[in-house]
């Protein structure tokens, strides 16, 4: 069996993981291991992100990170971890400029200054970009190049971390599944960073890649770490719904709404946002939580569009202006039979980002010795609602910190690997690889899980739905040991599905438990029976796992 040793192990190679690996090497770690269940730098959300990155660079107008912080705290509806939010806002400019030095190619004005545009919730033009559809790929490519040039970093793809190895209360490494060979791999590490991204893949309608099923939250909980703010899942309000769109991202409409002020209309063609407290007129200013709530309510009241969303219309914009703003995108839309000058499209909320996540301090350290987290896997910085453009800087800033502090800790600590502590995880992989007969497969339950989360723990929640979700999730968890797995070691999809279901069930239960426990509405968490925010509940919830594997949510004191 393959065994690897590392000073710093980074699990997940998106923006946060790659930056963490670079920073760990820069801080003196000589053996940095960067692994990913996909190809390094090509899985997860970073490579999919299209648009903008928020940082108080003050290139277009006076700005300061304290102003960015004030906007972030306001958007977070009173729940941001202010220390983490301050780190995010005040270190974003340094990371963005460093990415510029690494040739990411930020768009610039004619005067050579980095272009910064407005976005809802930001009090000034603060969001930079490479181009409106390629910012994420450019960020990922830049970090991949940098990682590739850093000798201390060893990269391994197709390796799924299935368990953290805990000895004497500390994380001492991990067990992973080599998906190509179907073999377990053990990794001893002095410090381990979880950078596995978010969980939006646990929802039927999502903007996620295949690898965003919440593995990192499950790994952290099982190792004894806490999660925070798990009830706050961000639904992107205007995900594309109809007509069918091939070869384009479902969240592509946002930058065009910024630029042109596309109008949101109910099924009868009436504007409705104002009825929900939006002050939007011609500019696009409504926050994501409010727009999601308004659209969901309109549809529930029977005022939606034919496919169960609302209309997004650009028909009031002269065709010349549309062509100038959309550029080549207008041709791609035409190939999909969409002519924005003549008809609206249908849009509806889509699960997009997880505000909650692993609880860390400002060093990105969890309460479990040896365990760090970075990027979307971390909770708290964005509270109950995230500002657009805050997630990529979060990945870069928290990644840099996690790598730097983990490397410093690894220098002081000694490796403490215990092969015995990894046996159960290794045996689990071997047993599953040999196959198991059964009537039900993980793939079937994954499908059911996504529908259940959408229907019962989606943008609008009520007690009956949450109770129903929790009892069905518990049944699914109980069924895990009996699920059918096809035999065969190499690239066995049913083995991968089993592990994905195991992680996604934990992530789903954490969200549902926290949602059930928060008996108010706030930001992205909306409860039918408790429509208002309760000032007495302006506190974060912690989620933990008991020795029996049960997930518990409780309000912090
Ligand atoms: C379509 C889309 C558009 C977006 N647009 C923007 C935007 O314009 N601006 C913005 O600020 N934010 C945007 N976001 C959000 C932002 O992209 C993410 O929050 C951010 O990139 C997360 O980075 P990360 O490194 O934490 O996670 P990711 O980039 O998701 O990387 C996580 C990595 O972990 C790997 N992984 C997961 N589980 C395991 C495991 N068990 N073992 C090994 N590896 C594992 C995955 O394969 C993946 O490569 C967008 C998100 C999406 C989905």
């Amino acid at each position: 069996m393959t065994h690897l040793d590392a000073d710093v192990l980074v699990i997940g190679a998106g923006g946060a993981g790659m930056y963490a690996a670079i920073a760990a090497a820069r801080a003196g770690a000589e053996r940095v291991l960067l692994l990913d269940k996909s190809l390094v730098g090509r899985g997860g959300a970073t490579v999919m992100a299209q648009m903008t990155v928020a940082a108080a660079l003050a290139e277009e107008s006076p700005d300061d990170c304290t102003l960015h912080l004030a906007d972030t705290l306001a958007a977070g509806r009173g729940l941001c971890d202010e220390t983490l939010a301050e780190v995010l806002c005040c270190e974003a400019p340094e990371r963005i400029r460093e990415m510029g030095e690494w040739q990411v190619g930020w768009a610039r004005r004619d005067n050579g200054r980095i272009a910064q545009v407005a976005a809802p919730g930001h009090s000034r033009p603060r969001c930079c970009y490479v181009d409106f559809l390629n910012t994420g790929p450019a960020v990922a490519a830049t970090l991949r190049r940098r990682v590739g040039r850093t000798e201390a970093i060893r990269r391994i793809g197709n390796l799924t971390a299935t368990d953290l190895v805990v000895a004497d209360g500390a994380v001492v490494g991990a067990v992973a599944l080599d998906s190509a060979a179907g073999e377990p791999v053990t990794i001893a590490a002095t410090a381990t960073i979880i950078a596995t991204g978010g969980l939006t893949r646990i929802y039927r309608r999502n903007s996620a890649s295949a690898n965003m099923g919440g593995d990192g939250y499950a790994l952290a909980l099982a190792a004894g770490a806490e999660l925070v703010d798990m009830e706050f899942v961000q639904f992107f309000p205007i995900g594309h719904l109809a007509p069918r769109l091939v070869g384009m991202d479902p969240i592509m409409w946002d930058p065009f709404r910024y630029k042109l002020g596309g109008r949101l209309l109910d099924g009868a063609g009436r504007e409705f946002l104002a009825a929900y407290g939006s002050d939007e007129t011609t500019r696009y200013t409504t926050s994501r939580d409010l727009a999601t709530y308004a659209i969901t309510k309109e549809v529930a009241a029977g005022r939606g569009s034919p496919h169960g969303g609302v209309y997004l219309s650009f028909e009031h914009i002269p065709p010349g202006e549309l062509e100038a703003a959309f550029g080549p995108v207008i041709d791609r839309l035409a190939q999909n039979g969409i002519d924005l000058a003549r008809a609206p499209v249908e849009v509806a909320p889509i699960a997009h980002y997880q505000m909650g996540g692993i609880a860390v301090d400002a060093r990105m350290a969890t309460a479990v010795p040896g365990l760090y987290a970075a990027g979307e896997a971390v909770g708290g910085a964005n509270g109950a609602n995230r500002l657009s453009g805050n997630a990529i800087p979060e990945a870069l800033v928290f990644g840099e910190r996690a790598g730097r502090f983990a490397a410093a800790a690894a220098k002081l600590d000694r490796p403490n690997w215990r092969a015995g502590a990894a046996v159960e995880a290794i045996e689990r992989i071997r047993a599953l690889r040999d196959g198991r007969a059964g009537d039900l497969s993980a793939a079937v339950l994954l499908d059911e899980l996504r529908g259940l989360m959408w229907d019962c723990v989606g943008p609008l929640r009520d007690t009956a739905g949450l109770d129903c979700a929790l009892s069905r999730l518990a049944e699914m968890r109980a069924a895990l040991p009996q699920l059918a797995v096809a035999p065969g070691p190499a690239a066995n999809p049913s083995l991968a599905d089993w592990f994905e279901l195991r992680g996604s069930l934990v992530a789903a239960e954490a969200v549902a438990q926290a949602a059930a426990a928060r008996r108010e509405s706030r930001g992205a968490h909306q409860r039918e029976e408790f429509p208002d925010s309760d000032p007495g509940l302006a506190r974060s919830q912690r989620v933990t796992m008991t020795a029996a594997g049960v997930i518990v949510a409780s309000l912090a004191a």
Side-chain angles (χ1 to χ4, degrees):
M1 189 180 63
T2 305
H3 177 79
L4 304 165
D5 286 292
D7 301 322
V8 176
L9 165 64
V10 184
I11 302 173
M18 288 194 281
Y19 223 118
I22 294 164
R26 186 157 70 181
E30 287 171 6
R31 297 172 310 167
V32 180
L33 183 60
L34 175 61
L35 65 84
D36 201 287
K37 74 198 286 185
S38 176
L39 296 177
V40 166
R42 295 182 194 273
T46 305
V47 77
M48 299 170 76
Q50 298 180 331
M51 299 172 291
T52 58
V53 181
L57 300 171
E59 294 274 306
E60 299 257 354
S61 61
D63 200 359
D64 186 88
C65 76
T66 56
L67 300 171
H68 186 184
L69 176 61
D71 293 342
T72 298
L73 298 181
R77 316 286 180 230
L79 277 205
C80 293
D81 175 323
E82 295 197 16
T83 306
L84 292 182
E86 187 178 346
V87 166
L88 162 60
C89 297
C90 291
E91 293 183 10
E94 201 182 331
R95 296 283 74 83
I96 296 312
R97 293 201 190 281
E98 187 164 60
M99 290 292 293
E101 285 160 23
W102 294 346
Q103 312 299 329
V104 72
W106 299 127
R108 289 180 184 269
R109 302 288 182 207
D110 291 343
N111 61 10
R113 300 187 79 98
I114 294 176
Q116 294 196 275
V117 293
H122 290 280
S123 52
R124 53 212 65 223
R126 183 178 287 141
C127 293
C128 53
Y129 55 93
V130 172
D131 80 47
F132 270 138
L133 295 179
N134 285 306
T135 298
V139 166
T142 304
L143 292 172
R144 278 200 310 270
R145 275 198 306 274
R146 200 81 202 166
V147 162
R149 287 187 202 140
T150 308
E151 219 173 287
I153 304 175
R154 179 169 179 193
R155 295 161 287 169
I156 309 184
N158 292 327
L159 215 52
T160 302
T162 59
D163 293 86
L164 296 178
V165 178
V166 181
D168 296 332
V171 169
V172 297
V175 172
L177 166 69
D178 174 345
S179 54
E183 293 290 342
V185 171
T186 52
I187 305 147
T190 314
T192 299
I193 301 170
I194 297 180
T196 46
L199 55 57
T200 44
R201 180 82 175 158
I202 66 175
Y203 284 91
R204 183 169 52 215
R205 251 178 81 70
N206 66 70
S207 64
S209 86
N211 299 332
M212 294 165 65
D215 287 4
Y217 308 114
L219 291 171
L221 275 182
E226 290 184 332
L227 308 182
V228 66
D229 293 342
M230 288 302 282
E231 62 273 40
F232 299 109
V233 178
Q234 182 161 76
F235 294 88
F236 180 84
I238 54 169
H240 187 83
L241 185 62
R244 193 166 145 73
L245 190 61
V246 177
M248 302 185 78
D249 204 292
I251 68 150
M252 60 160 286
W253 293 114
D254 232 24
F256 304 112
R257 237 197 129 211
Y258 295 152
K259 279 195 203 172
L260 297 165
R263 295 161 68 207
L264 281 180
L265 308 170
D266 69 11
R270 283 185 297 255
E271 284 186 294
F272 59 87
L273 285 176
Y276 297 89
S278 166
D279 58 2
E280 183 170 312
T281 48
T282 51
R283 281 192 55 233
Y284 171 20
T285 52
T286 310
S287 60
R288 288 181 177 175
D289 53 357
L290 179 61
T292 293
Y293 178 72
I295 294 169
T296 310
K297 280 296 224 186
E298 286 298 293
V299 174
R303 293 190 291 269
S305 59
H307 293 85
V310 295
Y311 290 116
L312 172 62
S313 169
F314 293 95
E315 291 158 282
H316 58 293
I317 314 278
E321 256 182 68
L322 275 177
E323 275 165 35
F326 278 85
V329 175
I330 216 93
D331 296 331
R332 280 201 253 164
L333 290 171
Q335 285 160 13
N336 281 283
I338 295 172
D339 179 353
L340 296 174
R342 299 166 69 93
V345 291
E346 288 179 64
V347 294
I350 185 168
H352 182 55
Y353 172 87
Q354 170 62 332
M355 266 77 73
I358 302 168
V360 295
D361 63 18
R363 297 173 306 132
M364 303 296 129
T366 70
V368 180
L371 185 61
Y372 296 75
E376 191 172 335
V378 164
N382 295 289
N385 175 52
R386 169 176 74 86
L387 281 182
S388 59
N390 263 11
I392 295 217
E394 173 185 64
L396 306 181
V397 168
F398 290 1
E400 191 279 335
R401 281 204 155 222
R404 175 157 48 97
F405 286 110
K411 271 193 202 156
L412 302 175
D413 285 354
R414 270 183 293 123
N416 202 13
W417 176 250
R418 305 273 178 79
V423 169
E424 192 184 329
I426 296 167
E427 289 309 320
R428 186 182 301 110
I429 292 175
R430 287 187 172 144
L432 285 167
R433 184 195 54 186
D434 293 341
R436 192 166 54 201
D439 298 331
L440 196 58
S441 73
V444 169
L445 284 191
L446 270 170
D447 204 40
E448 185 190 337
L449 168 78
R450 291 175 188 138
L452 183 72
M453 288 303 286
W454 185 263
D455 294 338
C456 300
V457 199
L460 215 52
R461 300 160 177 181
D462 62 30
T463 306
L466 290 168
D467 287 349
C468 170
L470 281 166
S471 66
R472 183 62 190 133
L473 289 170
E475 284 169 9
M476 290 186 189
R477 179 152 50 91
L480 261 181
Q482 286 89 46
L483 294 181
V485 178
N492 180 345
S494 73
L495 193 56
D497 284 344
W498 191 90
F499 279 107
E500 175 159 3
L501 177 64
R502 186 177 71 141
S504 289
L505 277 172
V506 173
E509 224 172 316
V511 174
Q513 286 284 9
R518 183 170 288 284
R519 295 159 72 84
E520 63 157 355
S521 290
R522 185 181 293 274
H525 170 71
Q526 295 292 325
R527 289 281 298 260
E528 288 275 38
E529 323 87 317
F530 309 107
D532 300 318
S533 293
D534 176 349
L537 296 179
R539 286 174 287 149
S540 285
Q541 284 193 110
R542 295 283 170 136
V543 172
T544 49
M545 190 188 256
T546 67
V550 176
I551 290 162
V552 184
S554 59
L555 271 174

